[in-house]
Amino acid sequence: MTKPPKASAPAKPSLFKTLEIDTRLLGMIGAFVVICLVFNIITDGRFLTARNLFNLSIQTVSVAIMATGMVFVIVTRHIDLSVGALLATCSAVMGVMQVQMLPGILGLGSPLIAPLAILGGLLAGALIGAFNGWLIGYQRIPAFIVTLGGLLVWRNVGWYMTDGQTLGPLDQNFLLLGGVEGTIGATGSWILGVLFSLAAIWAIWRARAAKIQHEFPVKPLWAEGALMAISVGAIMGFVAILNSYEVPIGRLKREFEARGEVLPEGYSEVYGLPISVLILIFVAIAMTVLARRTRLGRYIFATGGNPDAAELSGINTRMLTVKIFALMGFLCGLSAMVAQARLANHTNDIGTLDELRVIAAAVIGGTALAGGIGTIYGAILGAIIMQSLQSGMAMVGVDAPFQNIVVGALLVLAVWIDIQYRKRTGEKV
Amino acid sequence: MSQSTENRGTPLVELRDISISFGGIKAVDHVTVDLYPGEVVGLLGHNGAGKSTLIKCLSGAYQMDAGEIFINGDKAEIRNPRDARAYNIETIYQTLALADNLDAASNLFLGRELVTPAGFVDDARMEAETRKIMGRLNPNFRKFKDPVKALSGGQRQSVAIARAVYFNAKILIMDEPTAALGPHETQMVAELIQELKAQGLGIFLIEHDIHNVMKLCDRASVMKNGQLVGTVNVDEVTDEDILGMIILGKTPEGVSA
């Protein structure tokens, strides 16, 4: 929705303008590259390894999924402080169903356990989110208060449900969703990479065709070609990195032994795309389509830009608030699923301080707290930047308090840069 | 220009005995006004006289406490802006009611987006339609891709007007449409009002400038302190008569329409 801000009548369009690439996006990618390079130098090349990038991607998923929902919340001038707590409650629902309830009914190891537990967790998230939205939209309680209360309430509902105990071991199928336990291997990853590349090319070509059909000005062909090349390069590059991370020999040995076989000499296997990362990619695509191509998305941004105008245009802004928070809750459930599977059990403190990470990811990604402006890809990039900083510092051996100090300072710095940027481009702050 | 209102059949809109109060203050107090096809009725009065509030009952932004609305002689239930739009009532608000972060096409179709067969918003078609209508209303308009906050006052106004005109309004409400405009743009709006009037639309025009009222309106209804002072045929009165109604709250003898 945020289009690249245009300077007033430039004589000759710059390269980025011709390509119609968001300069803010470029700034974020630049920041990410700098972070990677700096840590790579400090760690003598350990940061930019396939292994670390693989871990980085699976660590980012949970916060990134929630950050996409937080974009809609902040765009409509609300805030959700309860996402970490909501994640804990959803995780508790899934944990209790998986470990205590369902095995007794369906029998241990039943293939129905994982889907039912997930369904329960997602439903819980969506319902609690909708309830928050009702309090905010229809009862007119500020979102800040509703979700500040929710932070305490849902954190402790989760605690109460599990008596504060760690729940595990989790269902085997469920663990596939966490990351390292569930990857689709080299061939599958390449196939998906090619499919995504084709989809990107098709999308760019189709957008151009639609413009030509309506006789709108289009980019020069070379610019379209360059965009396609960049998209394909990024997709295939990402797949190539994940496909070069080999499964450790010890782990392969264990797997073969478990099947009663012997590991052949010289055998190797790579992880490829983790299922959790695929989930994030699908969430990102779905949320982007929702934001840009549906009426709901249009109404979300219109309401953020001018709530009165939205109301006068016949948009039911109260119901819209319920939908936005229900979606946020649903995404908290999805994040709970990934986070719990990655950690291999439900713990009482799961998702602690996630509300701050999620809000920071959205804000670092360019979502304006004044409302009306924000992108899904920005929020995901924001989450990646924060996670890379955090794990980079952990690798270097920065003390835990300093890690948090840096992340906190980064949030303030990012908003400051954003304000300067908007001032320069004449946008409202 | 004006005809006797008795033999013109059914009014397009009749607001009958409308009252609405906010926290004990009667913003609109038993006001009755009507509007015929092809007619411009000016609503006049000081700030706070209740003009905008009255008109918001018709546009669905407010819900009246008492009174009835008749459209083409039938009783109408207008509970929200969607209901009003269903009766082909379009409103150009004083604030313009534009979402500043969206482009002209998104604003024009806000709440009534064109969609593809698959149900997605059809931005290309909406932009094409926007270019068409803007070509008619404001041929100099070029900034189709920019958010409307990047537009000038006049350009923003033309987006708001395009939104009202595009959807085949039968009843148009304009709340001080020329307040923020320069002389050239004001002239354009005046011409547009004449054109729409000739097409048979009924227009409620809230206006402060007596000169504009005398030029554009057929009748004028004056309000003071939430009450209707009176309604007059504009060509039967002078500027001073109308000013007297606004300031003193008195209808001159023998001109009531």
Side-chain angles (χ1 to χ4, degrees):
Chain A
M1 208 49 55
T2 41
K3 285 172 184 140
K6 281 154 193 159
S8 51
K12 188 166 173 278
S14 73
L15 175 65
F16 297 137
K17 208 157 282 166
T18 315
L19 289 172
E20 289 180 23
I21 291 180
D22 192 345
T23 43
R24 187 198 300 276
L25 171 68
L26 276 175
M28 280 188 286
I29 292 174
F32 177 59
V33 169
V34 168
I35 290 169
C36 288
L37 290 179
V38 168
F39 278 123
N40 202 42
I41 292 165
I42 300 176
T43 58
D44 296 324
R46 274 186 297 135
F47 191 83
L48 285 179
T49 56
R51 173 165 181 262
N52 190 48
L53 292 175
F54 180 91
N55 286 331
L56 201 61
S57 61
I58 61 175
Q59 284 162 355
T60 308
V61 171
S62 169
V63 165
I65 287 175
M66 289 190 284
T68 63
M70 189 63 82
V71 171
F72 288 173
V73 171
I74 297 180
V75 159
T76 49
R77 308 185 179 186
H78 295 303
I79 196 79
D80 193 338
L81 301 173
S82 66
V83 291
L86 203 48
L87 184 147
T89 295
C90 295
S91 175
V93 169
M94 288 190 253
V96 168
M97 284 178 78
Q98 254 180 104
V99 177
Q100 294 172 356
M101 282 170 55
L102 293 177
I105 303 166
L106 300 167
L108 198 65
S110 161
L112 282 175
I113 289 178
L116 285 176
I118 292 166
L119 205 66
L122 294 178
L123 201 65
L127 286 177
I128 296 167
F131 177 62
N132 280 345
W134 178 77
L135 289 175
I136 297 159
Y138 284 88
Q139 302 306 311
R140 300 280 168 183
I141 309 171
F144 184 89
I145 297 302
V146 170
T147 58
L148 184 63
L151 186 150
L152 273 177
V153 170
W154 301 114
R155 168 71 50 198
N156 290 288
V157 166
W159 186 349
Y160 177 77
M161 283 174 65
T162 61
D163 296 325
Q165 287 171 344
T166 296
L167 295 175
L170 301 179
D171 183 77
Q172 283 306 309
N173 296 323
F174 189 89
L175 288 174
L176 295 178
L177 301 164
V180 81
E181 299 295 331
T183 57
I184 62 170
T187 321
S189 302
W190 285 124
I191 292 172
L192 267 181
V194 170
L195 287 180
F196 277 124
S197 298
L198 289 176
I201 290 171
W202 180 76
I204 293 170
W205 177 80
R206 223 195 56 131
R208 184 184 172 84
K211 279 186 184 173
I212 290 172
Q213 193 199 334
H214 290 282
E215 295 169 355
F216 299 159
V218 287
K219 282 172 265 185
L221 262 178
W222 67 263
E224 305 273 15
L227 265 189
M228 288 180 186
I230 292 170
S231 312
V232 172
I235 294 167
M236 297 311 279
F238 181 62
V239 172
I241 290 170
L242 294 183
N243 268 351
S244 63
Y245 178 29
E246 293 188 358
V247 181
I249 278 294
R251 187 192 159 102
L252 279 180
K253 249 185 206 157
R254 278 199 305 280
E255 280 180 13
F256 273 79
E257 277 161 14
R259 276 180 275 160
E261 297 167 32
V262 181
L263 181 69
E265 195 65 36
Y267 179 88
S268 75
E269 206 176 280
V270 298
Y271 281 109
L273 277 170
I275 292 172
S276 63
V277 172
L278 281 180
I279 292 172
L280 172 61
I281 291 170
F282 282 116
V283 167
I285 293 171
M287 292 291 280
T288 304
V289 169
L290 190 62
R292 298 192 169 190
R293 309 280 296 134
T294 68
R295 286 186 160 178
L296 180 64
R298 188 60 45 88
Y299 296 166
I300 288 170
F301 280 86
T303 304
N306 187 344
D308 296 332
E311 193 110 33
L312 292 173
S313 300
I315 296 169
N316 187 344
T317 53
R318 297 175 181 214
M319 195 58 200
L320 189 71
T321 306
V322 174
K323 287 180 189 166
I324 290 165
F325 277 86
L327 180 62
M328 183 75 248
F330 174 84
L331 292 171
C332 288
L334 210 56
S335 285
M337 174 187 89
V338 171
Q340 187 187 70
R342 186 169 76 84
L343 300 170
N345 48 48
H346 166 81
T347 57
N348 210 23
D349 66 343
I350 192 168
T352 303
L353 285 184
D354 266 8
E355 49 281 334
L356 298 186
R357 294 191 191 102
V358 169
I359 292 168
V363 170
I364 289 173
T367 311
L369 287 164
I373 294 168
T375 57
I376 302 299
Y377 62 73
I380 293 173
L381 253 173
I384 294 172
I385 288 174
M386 279 207 313
Q387 188 58 47
S388 56
L389 254 184
Q390 200 137 29
S391 61
M393 286 189 292
M395 259 177 131
V396 175
V398 176
D399 290 339
F402 282 113
Q403 289 184 24
N404 285 333
I405 288 169
V406 169
V407 171
L410 172 77
L411 173 62
V412 178
L413 181 73
V415 173
W416 181 77
I417 291 173
D418 200 52
I419 289 171
Q420 301 306 316
Y421 175 83
R422 285 183 215 271
K423 253 190 209 163
R424 189 160 300 178
T425 56
E427 283 177 65
K428 83 171 173 190
V429 178
Chain B
M1 196 154 75
S2 87
Q3 307 145 283
S4 168
T5 49
E6 277 96 55
N7 52 14
R8 281 204 281 170
T10 324
L12 192 54
V13 182
E14 193 181 358
L15 296 171
R16 200 180 287 172
D17 218 15
I18 306 287
S19 294
I20 182 170
S21 44
F22 298 106
I25 296 164
K26 285 208 166 217
V28 176
D29 192 1
H30 298 288
V31 172
T32 299
V33 291
D34 55 9
L35 176 70
Y36 287 83
E39 184 188 41
V40 180
V41 171
L43 285 175
L44 291 82
H46 284 304
N47 289 327
K51 308 166 308 238
S52 291
T53 310
L54 173 68
I55 228 64
K56 281 184 173 171
C57 295
L58 179 59
S59 69
Y62 291 154
Q63 288 214 45
M64 57 201 178
D65 299 332
E68 289 171 314
I69 297 175
F70 292 87
I71 310 276
N72 291 323
D74 298 323
K75 193 167 168 3
E77 295 287 340
I78 298 177
R79 292 198 185 79
N80 54 49
R82 266 161 294 161
D83 291 347
R85 284 178 164 191
Y87 284 109
N88 290 327
I89 301 170
E90 296 289 336
T91 311
I92 300 164
Y93 292 97
Q94 196 175 359
T95 56
L96 302 186
L98 299 172
D100 276 340
N101 54 334
L102 303 183
D103 60 19
S106 301
N107 270 294
L108 203 155
F109 287 94
L110 190 56
R112 292 178 283 204
E113 288 74 10
L114 301 178
V115 291
T116 62
F120 293 114
V121 293
D122 194 341
D123 281 318
R125 197 149 63 93
M126 288 194 280
E127 191 183 326
E129 290 295 310
T130 307
R131 282 175 189 264
K132 257 187 239 164
I133 183 128
M134 292 309 270
R136 197 156 70 78
L137 293 177
N138 186 355
N140 298 323
F141 192 92
R142 291 280 178 279
K143 294 185 166 178
F144 290 99
K145 292 285 182 195
D146 292 297
V148 295
K149 68 165 161 268
L151 307 183
S152 71
Q155 289 169 331
R156 289 162 57 85
Q157 183 81 43
S158 54
V159 174
I161 291 176
R163 172 163 64 183
V165 174
Y166 179 83
F167 293 96
N168 298 321
K170 298 247 168 32
I171 300 150
L172 193 58
I173 301 166
M174 301 172 107
D175 194 346
E176 297 199 47
T178 58
L181 301 185
H184 176 65
E185 286 155 329
T186 302
Q187 183 57 33
M188 275 176 54
V189 171
E191 283 164 17
L192 179 72
I193 289 175
Q194 296 297 348
E195 187 193 325
L196 296 173
K197 194 178 137 170
Q199 290 171 14
L201 273 78
I203 301 174
F204 274 124
L205 182 66
I206 297 180
E207 183 62 70
H208 275 301
D209 188 332
I210 297 287
H211 178 70
N212 281 341
V213 172
M214 298 306 284
K215 197 172 72 179
L216 297 171
C217 299
D218 301 307
R219 287 188 294 148
S221 295
V222 179
M223 288 179 72
K224 187 176 166 70
N225 298 331
Q227 291 173 327
L228 185 72
V229 176
T231 301
V232 293
N233 288 321
V234 168
D235 54 4
E236 293 170 6
V237 294
T238 61
D239 299 16
E240 281 74 25
D241 291 336
I242 292 182
L243 275 174
M245 289 171 79
I246 294 170
I247 297 165
L248 304 171
K250 279 194 200 138
T251 314
E253 298 277 318
V255 293
S256 188

